[in-house]
Amino acid sequence: MKGKKFAVKLMVAVFFVLVMSVFAAAEGKPMTGVIGDADGDGRLTSADATFIARYVTGQFENIPNHKTHTDEWRRIADTNCDGFVSAASVTRLARMLAGHFETLCPRGGCLRCDPTHGKHRFPGGSGTAEDPYHVSTPQDLNAVRFNLYAHYIQINDIDMYFDTRNPNGLFYNNGAGWEPIGTFESDINWFDYVFRGVYDGGGFEIIGLNINRTSSRQHLLVGLFSFIREGTVKNLGMVDGSIKGTSTGGAYSNVIAGSISGFLRGGTLTNSFNTGTVIAVNEPYVGSDAHAGGLIGYVRYSIISDSHNTGDISAITGIGSFAFAGGISGWTIADDPNNASHISNCFNTGAIYASNPARISHAGGITGLMRFGSITNCHNKGDIESFTATGGIVGFASVITIINNSNAGNVSGGLAHNVGEIYGTFREQ
């Protein structure tokens, strides 16, 4: 009997491997070594199915040598949206493959599934670049999470006050407010499901968005979006929002907060603004981080232009921890100058604060820290304060170009020699 049961599970796992391969192909990824290659030998074989079956039935805590993180497998396998990888959820996946269901949740997994998935009808558009989905209501905005690759255009202002702040609101979530679009907390992989599409605000505003998320997991990303990768947001105003992320994840955890997105990687943000508060809080554990930006918490390999912030921004940690705060972004970094980030034609008037006394705290009117890139034609009028490096434009600058920027705000810090009108600390390498 045990042999038959395992054989059934193994057959289900074979289906699982096949669907993983389909998802990989749809993303333009190689089929081997990324999705389904559970034993890491570069091939899709019956051995992979055995590994996956043993993982799903609890014999492994993770899939050895696999490049896809455990959290990603769990999300994909949780097809009945109960928060667990169970025999029932895997059976549902098999039934979908056998044609009993037309679809599951996006890309095969739960992704915090909503019962309206597959049923939501936007007031216009088909999701293409030529004919983007029209976003008009809070429900439309929420439905963006069900297709992270589509094109969207907002066609009017969207008031989120009631739905995210009132106990009877659709997205109140017991006071936690809006759930960021995409994966927003994880112990291992903090970018499993990210927004890769285009969101055009159409020159309109999202008003009163409230986020107050606390997580004990290793990574927490908060904002309208959690993570934008190779995607675009443009022509969008975030007005009177209250964005706060608090991490209790312990040593080497991080919390990243921005009004539009926690993280922007390889993407573009243009002609957008924020007027609300953004706060990132982490407990004073060794190596823990807090990043807060008026628009984006953490930027990598991206372009930001023609945007501004007027809200107050704070990154708060304690001794032994790291804090980074900026009017546009908290942290802006690249690994080499060929993939640099660039910020241009932006300004800030909000108060920017990176906590004192963190082990390292950097604050700037435009960005708290920048490595590889440029800041051009940017201006600050807000008060800037941090402990380690404080600048009217950038707190800590390394291998960047700073052209035609100005500051009219008060700049202060605990280390007076690292306080400057334009930058606090500048390194040429």
Side-chain angles (χ1 to χ4, degrees), residues 89-160:
S89 65
V90 176
T91 298
R92 188 165 182 264
L93 176 60
R95 293 190 69 192
M96 185 275 287
L97 292 169
H100 293 277
F101 304 134
E102 288 186 1
T103 184
L104 297 172
C105 296
R107 296 179 61 201
C110 178
L111 292 155
R112 301 174 182 86
C113 184
D114 185 283
T116 63
H117 170 65
K119 298 178 181 178
H120 186 85
R121 296 292 179 265
F122 290 96
S126 59
T128 66
E130 297 77 18
D131 186 30
Y133 288 126
H134 292 184
V135 178
S136 175
T137 66
Q139 293 90 331
D140 293 336
L141 189 61
N142 184 62
V144 171
R145 73 181 72 249
F146 299 138
N147 189 339
L148 300 173
Y149 291 77
H151 291 246
Y152 301 88
I153 185 166
Q154 192 170 315
I155 60 174
N156 49 249
D157 292 340
I158 299 177
D159 191 333
M160 300 295 289

Side-chain angles (χ1 to χ4, degrees), residues 23 113 121-122 171 250 311 332 363 376:
F23 295 150
C113 184
R121 296 292 179 265
F122 290 96
F171 311 113
T332 308
T376 306

